[in-house]
Amino acid sequence: MSTVVETDVLIVGSGPAGASAALALSTYGVPNIVVTRYASLADTPRAHITNQRTMEVLRDLGVEQEVVAQATPQHLMGNTTFCTSLAGEELGRVRSWGNDPLVQAAHELASPTRMCDMPQHLMEPVLVNAAVARGTRLRFETEYLSHTQDADGVTATVRDRLRGDTYEIRAKYLIGADGGRSKVAADAGLPMGGQMGVAGSINIVFEADLAKYTAHRPSTLYWVLAPGATVGGIGAGLVRCVRPWTEWLIVWGYDVTAGAPDLTTEYAESVVRKLVGDDDIPVTVKSSSAWTVNEMYAERYANGRVFCAGDAVHRHPPSNGLGSNTSVQDAYNLAWKLKLVLDGTAHPRLLDSYTAERAPIGRQVVTRANQSIRETAPVFEALDGLSPQTPEQLWANIAARKDTTEAAAKQRARLREAIAFKAYEFNAHGVDLNQRYTSGAIVPDGTPDPGFDRDPELHHQPSSRPGARLPHAWITSGSRTLSTLDTVGRGRFTLLTGIGGEDWVRAASAQALPVATVVIGPGQEYEDPYGDWAHLSEISDAGALLVRPDGFVAFRHASAAPDAGELLADALRTVLGHA
């Protein structure tokens, strides 16, 4: 009897990237196996901020409402507070994660979804359970050891950690989603830029009823400026809400050159007490672990039939809350391409677009997250808190901001400005949604790149130009109100047009690849009662947008075209790698 297990796609790792890849592939009907060396899914909160683009992905994959039901909602996330401790002095706040009134309006205009706080130990079961229900085969305590690949597939050797024996899994493609110390990425020889271990951090998970210090200023994050807070870490001490207002995670730094401290319960409790500032509240430490701040990204995401996603290819601190979001979006980008290559619809060169599209995003995320750490320093600088000094001197500097002197007025202004600048970490709406892909799976329409009218990190700017995510607009179909994003996805290509676009509709129906059609206009299946789509589409009623399964515009034609059939066929050949 052969000991080789066979599948179409083998996924190493069950975190956000691996679980999302499994869910998307199983949704598309692609056989896949997930192996993880661990005995369970995530048992600590880890990643948590879930942005609008990720919620759109989860919406398309049919699990959005399960996430919403368990997540901390957006309105409880956004009073990001800077303080000397939770019980101590407050130094200022930033309206964060879309809770500033102007930013909230931008969020509502940008997407049918709302961002939320969904800790990883709750997110992973949602993704994995849905994937398994749709066909994924999951193996815990199964450790990836190595792989070899040939012209037809990949053979991975894995070890059953319960039995102690090894066996082989033969797959047509391998996805390495095995985290920041990815063995798959190392074995595949993916070239990396940047460096690992630039600073040391400690996570401490604990339970305590902190409602009296937090419920009146509800937030996901409370930043503590205390003595020692600038040593290593992520810029300051952090008290993160896991579950309002009783479950928490602290991030505290250490000198990476000296090595991590001994993580005893006593040590963990001392850090908790320092950041909470109340020695009388009962505290139960659940776990503590050391990790390093990394600034590394892969320059290429694939080698032959081996692809990597998530932390395997972009390794960075949690600043901006981008880690799991980028991981989910990596997997979503790759899954539909694998599906179409595996069923023979697309040429394997379509898979080249994965690196072309996602590697620039990964590099941007790594750079942005590490820059956000550095942008915390001005908050301390405003309090003269970066130079070596005693705790008493820091407290005196903080108290000095209350004086009636001109120096104190300048200090207050510097502090307000430094805290407000943290919008680049806590309200980076453009970083979340402004992806613009350039690859062989995008057909340029000859228009110049319009750039961005406002800061592209802070502000989302919708566009229907090929390579951009399809703009969201509320439209109607009978008594239903739905987003334009709800008309696309589900593993298929979609053509959007309007009155006068009959040639485009006929062209779509004539393709060998099924292309769904969406006609928007008065008296059509879909109507545009607010007129938003007419503006956002950036085409005439008789023009057309061809949207890929991941919701990105692949092809745009601004007007009617007598040769619509030929134009659409050429576009699909290009996107699918046949041109």
Side-chain angles (χ1 to χ4, degrees):
M1 178 183 294
S2 172
T3 59
V4 177
V5 177
E6 295 189 356
T7 189
D8 278 5
V9 182
L10 171 63
I11 302 165
V12 178
S14 59
S20 299
L23 174 56
L25 289 169
S26 288
T27 302
Y28 303 153
V30 177
N32 64 91
I33 294 173
V34 174
V35 299
T36 172
R37 66 192 305 271
Y38 300 106
S40 68
L41 301 178
D43 57 2
T44 56
R46 301 185 214 173
H48 60 117
I49 299 294
T50 308
N51 66 33
Q52 285 183 296
R53 178 56 191 156
T54 297
M55 292 302 290
E56 290 171 0
V57 171
L58 302 180
R59 184 183 183 96
D60 182 50
L61 295 177
V63 294
E64 178 193 18
Q65 291 309 311
E66 291 181 63
V67 172
V68 169
Q70 298 184 57
T72 298
Q74 185 174 12
H75 72 274
L76 294 181
M77 295 170 61
N79 277 286
T80 297
T81 302
F82 290 81
C83 55
T84 61
S85 70
L86 290 189
E89 283 197 58
E90 181 175 312
L91 303 172
R93 305 180 195 178
V94 180
R95 295 184 180 94
S96 306
W97 312 121
N99 282 282
D100 178 282
L102 294 177
V103 180
Q104 184 176 33
H107 275 235
E108 292 188 5
L109 290 169
S111 175
T113 68
R114 294 290 172 270
M115 71 183 311
C116 61
D117 187 302
M118 182 66 168
Q120 189 170 334
H121 68 303
L122 301 179
M123 177 70 85
E124 282 186 17
V126 170
L127 302 176
V128 169
N129 289 345
V132 170
R134 298 176 195 181
T136 293
R137 291 180 288 172
L138 172 65
R139 292 295 178 269
F140 288 112
E141 299 216 58
T142 302
E143 181 178 7
Y144 162 85
L145 299 178
S146 63
H147 75 263
T148 60
Q149 59 173 310
D150 52 51
D152 300 314
V154 183
T155 301
T157 301
V158 300
R159 182 170 71 92
D160 187 307
R161 301 181 76 189
L162 284 176
R163 296 190 308 245
D165 61 325
T166 63
Y167 63 96
E168 293 181 339
I169 301 177
R170 177 69 175 173
K172 294 170 183 171
Y173 292 96
L174 168 64
I175 298 176
D178 49 336
R181 293 182 292 274
S182 172
K183 186 165 175 21
V184 176
D187 290 349
L190 300 187
M192 297 282 179
Q195 60 181 322
M196 297 280 279
V198 298
S201 282
I202 298 161
N203 281 1
I204 301 169
V205 180
F206 69 100
E207 293 179 350
D209 184 354
L210 302 180
K212 70 178 180 178
Y213 299 124
T214 57
H216 65 286
R217 48 183 180 182
S219 183
T220 285
L221 306 175
Y222 299 84
W223 293 87
V224 179
L225 281 68
T230 59
V231 177
I234 55 174
L238 173 65
V239 183
R240 172 191 140 196
C241 179
V242 177
R243 299 271 87 184
W245 306 108
T246 57
E247 296 181 37
W248 303 88
L249 184 150
I250 273 177
V251 181
W252 185 248
Y254 68 88
D255 182 354
V256 72
T257 62
D262 186 7
L263 299 180
T264 63
T265 300
E266 291 73 22
Y267 173 81
E269 287 183 357
S270 72
V271 175
V272 171
R273 295 295 182 193
K274 180 197 293 272
L275 272 64
V276 171
D278 185 337
D279 292 341
D280 297 325
I281 286 182
V283 169
T284 302
V285 173
K286 305 299 290 290
S287 68
S288 57
S289 58
W291 52 281
T292 59
V293 174
N294 303 314
E295 191 165 0
M296 182 170 279
Y297 49 85
E299 296 167 356
R300 191 174 69 244
Y301 280 18
N303 182 358
R305 290 175 171 265
V306 179
F307 298 82
C308 285
D311 289 356
V313 284
H314 36 80
R315 304 168 188 178
H316 54 88
S319 312
N320 286 77
L322 296 167
S324 63
N325 291 290
T326 311
S327 300
V328 170
Q329 292 165 40
D330 285 346
Y332 188 60
N333 180 285
L334 178 60
W336 69 269
K337 298 172 182 177
L338 285 172
K339 189 266 184 188
L340 293 180
V341 170
L342 284 164
D343 69 14
T345 300
H347 189 280
R349 70 171 61 95
L350 168 62
L351 298 173
D352 295 341
S353 66
Y354 174 59
T355 286
E357 294 176 356
R358 295 305 300 172
I361 304 299
R363 183 170 184 169
Q364 178 198 21
V365 162
V366 170
T367 301
R368 178 65 257 170
N370 280 277
Q371 180 63 21
S372 289
I373 289 181
R374 293 186 279 271
E375 289 169 354
T376 302
V379 179
F380 283 88
E381 289 172 355
L383 301 167
D384 299 319
L386 287 179
S387 58
Q389 57 190 267
T390 64
E392 290 74 20
Q393 184 60 54
L394 177 61
W395 302 138
N397 293 346
I398 290 172
R401 80 191 195 285
K402 305 173 191 174
D403 294 344
T404 59
T405 64
E406 183 178 346
K410 291 180 179 178
Q411 183 186 39
R412 292 191 294 271
R414 289 199 307 271
L415 182 61
R416 286 193 299 269
E417 182 179 342
I419 289 175
F421 195 74
K422 293 298 290 180
Y424 279 90
E425 179 173 356
F426 308 130
N427 274 321
H429 199 211
V431 175
D432 293 345
L433 292 179
N434 278 342
Q435 292 94 337
R436 300 284 192 272
Y437 292 158
T438 301
S439 75
I442 299 295
V443 182
D445 67 351
T447 61
D449 185 341
F452 294 92
D453 296 335
R454 298 190 292 173
D455 190 313
E457 289 194 316
L458 292 181
H459 303 288
H460 167 54
Q461 182 170 309
S463 173
S464 72
R465 190 169 181 264
R469 160 186 158 276
L470 181 72
H472 153 69
W474 291 115
I475 57 177
T476 58
S477 179
S479 60
R480 291 190 304 140
T481 298
L482 67 162
S483 169
T484 47
L485 299 181
D486 295 327
T487 68
V488 303
R490 285 170 278 177
R492 63 187 185 176
F493 283 83
T494 306
L495 185 133
L496 286 79
T497 187
I499 293 175
E502 293 81 3
D503 288 340
W504 293 111
V505 174
R506 282 192 291 271
S509 65
Q511 303 304 312
L513 171 70
V515 177
T517 55
V518 174
V519 181
I520 303 175
Q524 308 305 307
E525 181 181 1
Y526 299 95
E527 300 200 33
D528 180 25
Y530 303 106
D532 294 338
W533 178 245
H535 168 67
L536 290 167
S537 69
E538 299 177 319
I539 58 174
S540 72
D541 290 343
L545 300 175
L546 177 66
V547 181
R548 308 186 322 185
D550 59 358
F552 278 74
V553 178
F555 163 82
R556 178 173 72 171
H557 197 281
S559 59
D563 55 347
E566 182 178 343
L567 289 171
L568 186 59
D570 286 346
L572 283 168
R573 278 195 296 271
T574 298
V575 173
L576 297 175
H578 294 305

